[in-house]
Amino acid sequence: MTAGPGAARPDAVVPPAEVRLDITGMTCASCANRIERKLNKLDGVQASVNYATEAATVRFDPARVDTDRLLETVAAAGYSAALPAPPVDEPVREDPEAALRQRLLVSAALTLPVLLLSMVPALQFDNWQWLALTLASPVAVWGAWPFHRAAAVNARHGASTMDTLVSIGITAAYLWSLWALFLGDAGMAGMRMSFDLVPERGAGTHEIYLEVASAVTVFLLAGRYAEARAKRRSGAALAALLELGAKDAAVLRDGAEHRVPIGQLAVGDRFVVRPGEKVATDGVVVSGSSAVDLTMLTGESVPVEVAEGDRVTGATVNVGGRLVVEATRVGDATTLAQLGRLVTRAQSGKAPVQRLADRVSAVFVPIVLAVAVGTLVAWLLLTGDATAAFTAAVAVLVIACPCALGLATPTALLVGTGRGAQLGVLIKGPEVLESTRRVDTVLLDKTGTVTTGQISLVQVAGHPDTLCLAAAVEAGSEHPIARAIVAAAEAPLSPVEAFASQSGIGVSGRVEGHDVVVGGRGELSADLAAVADAAEAAGRTAVRVAWDGEVRGVLVVADTVKPTSAAAIARLRALGLSPVLVTGDNAGAAAAVARAVGLDPERGEVVAGVLPQGKVDVVRDLQARGRVVAMVGDGVNDAPALAQADLGLAMGSGTDVAIEASDLTLVRADLDAAVDAVRLSRRTLAVIKGNLFWAFAYNVALVPLAALGFLNPVLAGLAMAASSVLVVTNSLRLRRFRSAAARV
């Protein structure tokens, strides 16, 4: 038999694929657990289902499973799944909470008179209970239908979730009321009721629970509506990030501008960016100069100057002159798309603390059902009071719903990672949060991390013409030192004749009648020798400039320290971290930079002269001594150390290799971003633990009260809804997180 065109060859190695599925129909963390278990039972599948994002991230072997099988598996579990819809140019703005809001408002309007009639004896006219039944019935049936439907679906699959508890509680209260009205004494004219915080015992068959059935429904609908709104707000930062991009671009074709949708841009296309417009995609400036505002992408408030040859990033805003940019990345390859994927991956994953909560939720519902049945039986055996037994059992069912437990972690992750994206801090996965809590040592690469990574002229000594003559000759060289000297000189430069370059020595040429040599080894006067010696002692480079056979000046160039580095290192110390500078440069240069940023070489806070493998050895040595190590770097040579470290932080201005090897990506190319990354990760983890504490404490404290008959079912419903809202509101506090630099 011949394999079809789509079949994989038996000897071919098929790389694993990853897909995101949008899940509908989940109502609690137990639903997410069920779907996750079903998917993970498939051969070659690793799935993580997130209740807060209503999505599943699935890694699978295409040779054994396809996406259709994944969708069928979710459907077989009783839920709906779909691949994410492709983006459209004009998205339809739908209100995702409209149906839930309508159900809540109608149910609340019908429930209010039922509550008043049931709680205020003065309002109870003859046969008021039948009006209460008329008003409460639509609430208990139609208003609570989402709970009933989900409970029925789960029951068909032999499972129980939060909805099972809610549905049983509401149904039991409603059916008891029907029995009391039609078969008991509650339907008689002149029946009166009063509301008690602690349920009345021995009330008999004249007691009805219509207000319980309807009020619990309204409270839970309100809690679910608040959850839905909060979850949408939690993910707003990611949505805003993904919507930053331009919608179209002015592409240059045949010498004319043509407005085309962003999706039609191709690598190599040249497009115009006018002042005030967004850069359409990642590219290189081919003409023009301007300032580009990076605020939306990195949080930087100061625009960055760009000119011909500089790289620009899509979604940033041109605030100066006209630019012509050649596209180098389009579509899913752009920086913006990569950032979106990083944030989505982090929000879709699960931290260890969340997996603990998931395991608890999975067994919690059956335990609660058993406790409710045990409560009912115990009350009947001990008191013989069916009303008290029923009331206590319903209160247990309602109060025990593990909504808050399921929302505790994912909502904090949503808000924390979204806020991080706004500040230029991208957390690759939830497990990273645990690492930031344990880290005690941070290794800092020097070039590009603590320093700018760009050589600049820092001192001119000797003859006044030293710089202009040297720059004129160096204009013909591409060496980094030459570019630094030319950049520091005032244009226009004098023309050069007989230019020559000798590798490892320097350049020479004739300028304004002088034979100029830059970088030679000529003898220095006492004054110039002192300047050169001081520069080299500080780890800088002294360049000799000679003309007409005599060294007449010295130019000192150096890799300058970033202005934020010293303050950022002080903030790292304040977080309890021990900073160490690690670099391949010589000891003199490393020590000079270290002192400039507040590090002490004498205390072992500098490791110099190490190759890339040497940086890995430094990390391993510290780990062997019991230290938990973070590494901050930006180059290819930092990638092995970033991967070896307990926590790797890559500067977003660095290489793709470094970013791929890291746990956290810092879009802002300064150390303050590293401080923010550690602070935000620790704050997010603290919020998660706070949420879990309150969720656990709530259930542990109130379930026994309900079982002992000290909690009215109406108050139980209100407390359950309030606990979920409390957890989500606590998570939303992370939206107010501010950068450490902004707080100074």
Side-chain angles (χ1 to χ4, degrees):
M1 186 170 65
T2 304
R9 290 173 48 192
D11 58 343
V13 178
V14 181
E18 183 171 304
V19 67
R20 174 186 167 95
L21 303 179
D22 293 331
I23 310 292
T24 54
M26 292 193 298
T27 55
C28 66
S30 299
C31 300
N33 292 336
R34 277 194 55 222
I35 299 171
E36 189 172 291
R37 288 197 303 271
K38 295 283 187 182
L39 287 171
N40 284 326
K41 286 180 181 178
L42 297 176
D43 194 19
V45 171
Q46 289 182 320
S48 176
V49 182
N50 194 310
Y51 167 53
T53 58
E54 298 181 326
T57 302
V58 187
R59 287 179 60 84
F60 63 98
D61 183 352
R64 290 182 282 181
V65 180
D66 57 16
T67 53
D68 289 340
R69 180 76 182 282
L70 299 176
L71 297 175
E72 291 168 1
T73 301
V74 176
Y79 305 88
S80 298
L83 296 171
V88 294
D89 293 336
E90 295 296 333
V92 179
R93 299 292 182 182
E94 296 181 351
D95 184 355
E97 292 95 31
L100 182 56
R101 182 170 57 248
Q102 181 186 38
R103 192 180 298 271
L104 169 62
L105 292 176
V106 172
S107 298
L110 294 173
T111 297
L112 181 59
V114 176
L115 274 175
L116 292 175
L117 287 171
S118 302
M119 295 168 63
V120 184
L123 299 178
Q124 294 171 0
F125 51 87
D126 286 346
N127 296 314
W128 67 270
Q129 64 271 40
W130 297 103
L131 174 60
L133 175 65
T134 304
L135 295 173
S137 294
V139 179
V141 178
W142 174 79
W145 181 246
F147 307 112
H148 299 323
R149 181 182 59 226
V153 169
N154 289 316
R156 284 202 302 270
H157 292 85
S160 58
T161 66
M162 181 204 83
D163 295 292
T164 306
L165 303 181
V166 173
S167 179
I168 291 176
I170 293 172
T171 302
Y174 183 66
L175 292 179
W176 173 281
S177 300
L178 291 181
W179 179 77
L181 285 169
F182 288 99
L183 300 177
D185 301 328
M188 299 178 62
M191 190 273 282
R192 297 291 185 267
M193 273 180 52
S194 61
F195 179 81
D196 298 301
L197 293 178
V198 178
E200 180 185 355
R201 297 176 187 175
T205 57
H206 73 267
E207 194 79 36
I208 60 176
Y209 289 94
L210 293 173
E211 82 282 5
V212 171
S214 53
V216 166
T217 298
V218 169
F219 290 146
L220 298 187
L221 285 175
R224 185 161 293 182
Y225 178 68
E227 290 170 17
R229 283 179 56 85
K231 285 194 293 184
R232 182 157 58 87
R233 290 174 61 199
S234 300
L238 175 59
L241 175 69
L242 298 179
E243 290 177 2
L244 288 179
K247 305 303 180 207
D248 55 24
V251 179
L252 291 175
R253 290 175 182 164
D254 300 324
E257 293 184 23
H258 300 274
R259 279 280 168 187
V260 300
I262 198 70
Q264 295 181 13
L265 268 181
V267 174
D269 281 347
R270 294 191 173 189
F271 57 91
V272 176
V273 188
R274 292 183 174 81
E277 290 184 340
K278 292 180 181 179
V279 178
T281 191
D282 296 359
V284 176
V285 178
V286 294
S287 72
S289 62
S290 180
V292 176
D293 184 356
L294 307 179
T295 304
M296 293 188 296
L297 198 60
T298 68
E300 288 282 2
S301 58
V302 180
V304 175
E305 296 291 334
V306 296
E308 185 175 337
D310 290 333
R311 294 187 176 275
V312 290
T313 304
T316 54
V317 179
N318 177 18
V319 297
R322 179 179 184 272
L323 295 175
V324 177
V325 179
E326 182 175 311
T328 56
R329 291 180 177 179
V330 297
D332 289 342
T334 63
T335 300
L336 185 65
Q338 290 173 353
L339 301 189
R341 284 195 296 273
L342 284 173
V343 178
T344 301
R345 188 186 308 168
Q347 294 183 344
S348 300
K350 294 187 178 182
V353 287
Q354 183 178 353
R355 295 196 178 276
L356 171 63
D358 289 346
R359 289 195 295 271
V360 172
S361 295
V363 299
F364 194 73
V365 173
I367 290 175
V368 169
L369 288 173
V371 170
V373 172
T375 299
L376 180 67
V377 172
W379 274 94
L380 288 174
L381 292 177
L382 295 175
T383 67
D385 188 340
T387 303
F390 169 78
T391 302
V394 170
V396 168
L397 289 172
V398 174
I399 199 65
C401 297
C403 256
L405 198 59
L407 289 167
T409 300
T411 52
L413 279 176
L414 271 173
V415 183
T417 52
R419 180 60 180 148
Q422 291 177 325
L423 295 174
V425 175
L426 302 179
I427 303 171
K428 277 197 174 179
E431 63 280 354
V432 172
L433 303 177
E434 296 283 356
S435 300
T436 61
R437 179 179 60 84
R438 297 182 292 109
V439 164
D440 54 31
T441 305
V442 56
L443 298 183
L444 307 171
D445 173 55
K446 182 179 78 71
T447 306
T449 301
V450 175
T451 66
T452 62
Q454 297 177 347
I455 294 176
S456 59
L457 182 68
V458 295
Q459 185 180 0
V460 179
H463 196 282
D465 292 336
T466 297
L467 179 58
C468 63
L469 291 175
V473 178
E474 292 283 23
S477 173
E478 290 298 321
H479 194 279
I481 291 179
R483 290 200 297 269
I485 292 172
V486 172
E490 294 183 3
L493 300 175
S494 301
V496 180
E497 300 174 357
F499 173 82
S501 175
Q502 290 182 278
S503 179
I505 297 177
V507 294
S508 62
R510 189 167 182 80
V511 182
E512 298 178 355
H514 301 287
D515 292 323
V516 182
V517 178
V518 183
R521 303 183 184 278
E523 292 293 328
L524 296 174
S525 65
D527 291 344
L528 294 181
V531 171
D533 291 343
E536 290 170 0
R540 298 173 174 178
T541 301
V543 180
R544 293 166 169 81
V545 182
W547 61 90
D548 299 335
E550 182 182 349
V551 178
R552 302 172 184 270
V554 170
L555 302 177
V556 179
V557 295
D559 180 6
T560 55
V561 174
K562 292 179 180 177
T564 58
S565 293
I569 288 174
R571 294 186 186 110
L572 288 172
R573 289 190 193 277
L575 290 173
L577 302 176
S578 300
V580 177
L581 185 70
V582 56
T583 177
D585 280 358
N586 62 69
V593 170
R595 293 189 183 95
V597 296
L599 297 176
D600 186 356
E602 304 300 326
R603 295 173 53 192
E605 294 181 339
V606 177
V607 181
V610 293
L611 298 174
Q613 181 57 43
K615 293 182 180 180
V616 176
D617 293 338
V618 172
V619 174
R620 287 175 176 164
D621 180 59
L622 288 168
Q623 290 172 331
R625 298 195 318 230
R627 310 294 287 273
V628 182
V629 182
M631 172 74 191
V632 186
D634 72 330
V636 173
N637 63 333
D638 297 321
L642 287 168
Q644 175 65 36
D646 299 285
L647 179 68
L649 297 92
M651 292 288 187
S653 60
T655 65
D656 291 341
V657 176
I659 293 172
E660 186 62 31
S662 68
D663 302 302
L664 286 156
T665 299
L666 312 175
V667 181
R668 298 193 338 254
D670 67 67
L671 275 181
D672 270 329
V675 178
D676 290 341
V678 174
R679 289 179 56 245
L680 178 60
S681 297
R682 290 181 175 180
R683 182 78 59 81
T684 303
L685 185 63
V687 169
I688 289 173
K689 291 185 173 181
N691 284 349
L692 289 172
F693 170 78
W694 287 113
F696 276 115
Y698 159 83
N699 282 306
V700 170
L702 294 186
V703 167
L705 287 179
L708 293 173
F710 294 118
L711 193 62
N712 189 292
V714 173
L715 296 181
L718 177 60
M720 197 281 274
S723 70
S724 297
V725 176
L726 174 66
V727 162
V728 175
T729 304
N730 188 44
S731 297
L732 288 173
R733 291 191 303 119
L734 287 167
R735 297 178 72 184
R736 299 198 298 268
F737 179 89
R738 291 198 302 159
S739 170
R743 300 171 67 214
V744 177

